[in-house]
Amino acid sequence: EDKVVQSPLSLVVHEGDTVTLNCSYEVTNFRSLLWYKQEKKAPTFLFMLTSSGIEKKSGRLSSILDKKELFSILNITATQTGDSAVYLCAPANFGNEKLTFGTGTRLTIIP
Amino acid sequence: DVKVTQSSRYLVKRTGEKVFLECVQDMDHENMFWYRQDPGLGLRLIYFSYDVKMKEKGDIPEGYSVSREKKERFSLILESASTNQTSMYLCASMKGALGGNTIYFGEGSWLTVV
């Protein structure tokens, strides 16, 4: 059975801090890993990672995948209150149109 | 921009009622999905469809059925709603194969069964 574990489950930091969110996974026929940000409604797409060691970056957010150790991290630098959200990771596998989502990390940024 | 529209945002239904949740996407995507999201359990897949009239069970299909008569529309049906089906339901769509493409979500439908 596919498994995804995100840590920490929740995190409270001050504005300006840097945070690192973790996602470890066990899936058969791994293809890619996706990160989503969810505020009050639907998740919005952040990154798709398919190759180990190649950092993807978007503004203050960056993410990297380690396919050998089966984990990914999402970094947010110089956090802002608008970064407060639940961050979800989801590995996808070949031949099975199904994403397995982690339970998410709830990030709260205090002004 | 891809648009996935869930027509009912907030519903309150009685136990035993039949409930329809409708989802429409406007980008000619082959794949559509229904998830439910509950605190502490994350997003769980109920059903997905990879083509018109085709459907596959997800992780928690019990108590649900689906209908995909047209490519753009994927309906989730609760034949006889129960209180443990109170949840937030998310529809999603995707073009092509998972892993090579991203999945787009609707805004969510909050269902309360009393």
Side-chain angles (χ1 to χ4, degrees):
Chain A
E1 190 182 315
D2 296 343
K3 276 187 352 184
V4 185
V5 178
Q6 289 188 246
S7 63
L9 289 181
S10 69
L11 188 55
V12 180
V13 300
H14 287 97
E15 208 167 16
D17 287 353
T18 292
V19 297
T20 298
L21 310 183
N22 302 292
C23 173
S24 64
Y25 62 89
E26 288 177 34
V27 299
T28 51
N29 296 317
F30 175 84
R31 181 169 184 166
S32 62
L33 187 136
L34 291 84
W35 281 97
Y36 285 85
K37 176 183 181 182
Q38 186 176 22
E39 297 172 85
K40 289 187 178 149
K41 38 188 185 178
T44 52
F45 173 75
L46 293 175
F47 297 110
M48 184 192 307
L49 303 158
T50 52
S51 303
S52 260
I54 298 175
E55 186 184 53
K56 289 230 173 165
K57 208 166 163 59
S58 175
R60 295 174 296 102
L61 277 68
S62 63
S63 184
I64 198 159
L65 175 69
D66 185 327
K67 290 197 323 191
K68 188 179 171 192
E69 300 298 330
L70 307 182
F71 77 89
S72 175
I73 59 171
L74 176 68
N75 276 320
I76 310 175
T77 58
T79 51
Q80 302 171 356
T81 53
D83 296 328
S84 293
V86 173
Y87 291 84
L88 298 162
C89 74
N93 49 15
F94 280 100
N96 180 347
E97 301 310 322
K98 195 173 124 169
L99 278 173
T100 303
F101 282 91
T103 52
T105 294
R106 180 173 295 279
L107 176 64
T108 304
I109 309 297
I110 300 170
Chain B
D1 272 357
V2 175
K3 192 150 186 201
V4 181
T5 304
Q6 294 180 235
S7 51
S8 302
R9 295 298 314 283
Y10 301 95
L11 302 99
V12 180
K13 297 290 182 181
R14 292 194 181 280
T15 299
E17 276 194 80
K18 192 167 184 174
V19 182
F20 289 89
L21 299 179
E22 302 285 341
C23 175
V24 176
Q25 49 94 3
D26 65 357
M27 284 300 291
D28 201 36
H29 286 176
E30 297 89 350
N31 302 290
M32 296 187 75
F33 307 81
W34 275 106
Y35 290 88
R36 64 178 280 178
Q37 187 170 30
D38 302 289
L41 295 174
L43 276 162
R44 293 179 294 165
L45 181 64
I46 305 171
Y47 267 97
F48 68 97
S49 167
Y50 50 91
D51 203 350
V52 176
K53 296 192 188 294
M54 308 304 284
K55 60 187 179 187
E56 290 275 342
K57 291 181 182 178
D59 298 314
I60 50 162
E62 297 78 19
Y64 303 94
S65 62
V66 290
S67 171
R68 185 122 181 249
E69 296 297 317
K70 292 186 179 180
K71 194 174 186 180
E72 66 269 19
R73 188 180 296 270
F74 191 35
S75 304
L76 181 69
I77 303 151
L78 288 67
E79 292 287 342
S80 177
S82 62
T83 53
N84 64 11
Q85 292 178 310
T86 292
S87 187
M88 204 259 276
Y89 290 87
L90 279 166
C91 174
S93 78
M94 183 186 71
K95 185 166 187 65
L98 193 62
N101 296 284
T102 193
I103 187 169
Y104 296 90
F105 287 91
E107 299 271 282
S109 298
W110 292 92
L111 173 66
T112 302
V113 183
V114 297

